[in-house]
Amino acid sequence: MDEQELRSLFSAAPGDAPSPSFDQSDVVRESRRQTLRRRNRITAGVSAAALVVVGFGAYGLLSGGTPGLTSAKDNAAVSAQSGQPGLGPARPQVGGESPNFSSTPPQQGGSGDGKTGQLAEGASGCEEVDGELAIALAGELPGHVAAAQASPGSACTTASRSAGFPVPGGEVAAAVYPKGISVAFKSQPAGTVTARVATASGGTLVLVSVPDAANAAPYAGDVDRLASELAPRF
C-alpha cells in the first residue's frame, strides 16, 4: 500500500462524534417532568371515578329514596288501587257494609227441622244447606223464593247434598246422592209426594213435597217435572 492509498483511507474515515446537545441536568429535568405527568394522569382518573360513584349515589337517593320507605309507599299505592288491606286507609264502607262482602249474613243452625241452615256449596249432611242445590231449587219453584230461606230439608241424609224451602201448604225439599250411594232418608208424613231421577253424574236426585197437617202436598202435580229439571244439573 503506497502513501496515496493511505491518504485516501484516512480521508474516508468518519470524523469525531459530535458533542452531546444535553447534559445530566437535562436528563434529570426531563425524568421529573415525565414522572409528574404520570402522577397527574392517575390523579385525574381517580377523581373522575369518584365523581361517577357520587353521582350514582345521589341519583339513587333522589329517585328511589330509602328502600324500606319506597317499599312501604309502593305497597300502600297497590293496596289503595286494588281495594285490598295494606298500609293504606281502611276499605270504604257503603251503607255500613263493606262492598266486598255480602250484606246477608250466613245462616247458622238447621238440622232438618225446618230451620234455616248454613249455606255451603258441595256440603253433605243435615247440618248445612248445599248452596248450589238451594239456588237451583229456588229457581224452579213457583213464586219468589230466596236461597237464604233454605233449610237442609226433610230429605237430607249424611251422604247427600240437600236443600228445602217452606212453601204454602208445606215444604219442598231435594237431595242429591252421589253415584254408588243408596237412597235412604227418614220416613215422610202421610201424603208426601216423592220423585227420583238419575243425575248427570250418575247419582240420584230425590224431590219430596211434604204437606202440612190437613193439607195436600204442595205442587204435587209438578214434583216429577221439577225433579227432571234439576237432575241434569248434578
Side-chain angles (χ1 to χ4, degrees):
M1 180 177 298
D2 57 16
E3 182 179 355
Q4 183 65 32
E5 290 178 351
L6 288 175
R7 186 178 296 111
S8 297
L9 289 176
F10 280 117
S11 62
D16 295 335
S19 60
S21 60
F22 56 88
D23 56 13
Q24 182 178 358
S25 61
D26 294 330
V27 175
V28 173
R29 189 181 305 109
E30 181 64 22
S31 176
R32 290 177 179 176
R33 185 183 298 111
Q34 294 296 334
T35 301
L36 181 61
R37 185 177 301 172
R38 285 196 297 270
R39 288 178 180 175
N40 291 337
R41 290 176 182 173
I42 294 174
T43 303
V46 172
S47 299
L51 288 176
V52 171
V53 173
V54 172
F56 275 113
Y59 175 79
L61 290 175
L62 293 176
S63 62
T66 304
L69 295 178
T70 302
S71 178
K73 293 178 182 178
D74 293 343
N75 290 338
V78 173
S79 299
Q81 294 176 2
S82 62
Q84 297 299 322
L87 298 178
R91 296 182 181 180
Q93 300 293 316
V94 180
E97 297 289 341
S98 172
N100 295 326
F101 296 96
S102 171
S103 59
T104 304
Q107 304 296 323
Q108 303 294 330
S111 58
D113 55 2
K115 297 181 180 179
T116 302
Q118 183 177 3
L119 293 175
E121 187 171 341
S124 298
C126 295
E127 296 298 323
E128 296 181 326
V129 178
D130 182 73
E132 182 182 7
L133 181 57
I135 294 173
L137 180 57
E140 294 296 334
L141 290 174
H144 179 70
V145 180
Q149 299 174 324
S151 66
S154 59
C156 71
T157 66
T158 57
S160 67
R161 302 163 58 182
S162 58
F165 292 95
V167 295
E171 177 196 59
V172 175
V176 176
Y177 290 79
K179 182 179 180 180
I181 301 298
S182 301
V183 176
F185 53 92
K186 64 183 180 181
S187 60
Q188 303 296 315
T192 298
V193 178
T194 304
R196 299 186 184 188
V197 181
T199 64
S201 61
T204 303
L205 181 138
V206 177
L207 186 71
V208 297
S209 175
V210 183
D212 288 338
N215 287 315
Y219 312 124
D222 295 325
V223 171
D224 290 334
R225 179 185 63 80
L226 292 175
S228 298
E229 293 288 341
L230 292 172
R233 305 182 191 182
F234 299 92

